Amino acid sequence: MQHLQPEELLIWKNENKPHLLVDIREEYEVAICTLGGMHIPMEYVMEQYASLPKENPIVFHCNSGKRSDALVYMIEKKFPGDAIYSLAGGVHRYAEQCAPEIKCSL
């Protein structure tokens, strides 16, 4: 499984590197804080995955990285070779290390 470190995502954002950021958390979690990008709750990702654009890397994220790790593992099994990543440490680690202005406490 491929992980993308928060610092790498920050570089991608700052350099405008094309990528698709997909938040797989529940609606109430997204309402607390967000990194932007697309929101698809985890339970719907597998049925919607085929319709996602694949020309750029896709970075899935959740709060801590555990759900996105499991999801990326499942996607890799079904669609080997796609450029997909799980954001290491999730939105909380990204906010802590790269964007302290984002408040993600529950």
Side-chain angles (χ1 to χ4, degrees), residues 15-61:
E15 294 179 352
N16 295 317
K17 177 180 171 134
H19 65 281
L20 177 61
L21 185 61
V22 180
D23 190 334
I24 64 166
R25 299 175 300 153
E26 297 297 322
E27 191 68 44
Y28 77 92
E29 295 171 296
V30 175
I32 294 169
C33 70
T34 182
L35 300 180
M38 180 180 283
H39 175 236
I40 306 173
M42 184 175 180
E43 66 183 296
Y44 302 113
V45 172
M46 290 305 285
E47 66 187 43
Q48 294 183 24
Y49 182 76
S51 66
L52 293 177
K54 311 289 186 316
E55 60 271 4
N56 298 311
I58 302 173
V59 181
F60 293 98
H61 77 83

Side-chain angles (χ1 to χ4, degrees), residues 1 42 45-46 67-80 84:
M1 174 186 333
M42 184 175 180
V45 172
M46 290 305 285
R67 287 177 281 178
S68 58
D69 281 357
L71 179 68
V72 167
Y73 177 79
M74 290 188 304
I75 293 170
E76 286 177 338
K77 289 283 197 190
K78 191 167 183 174
F79 302 96
I84 58 173

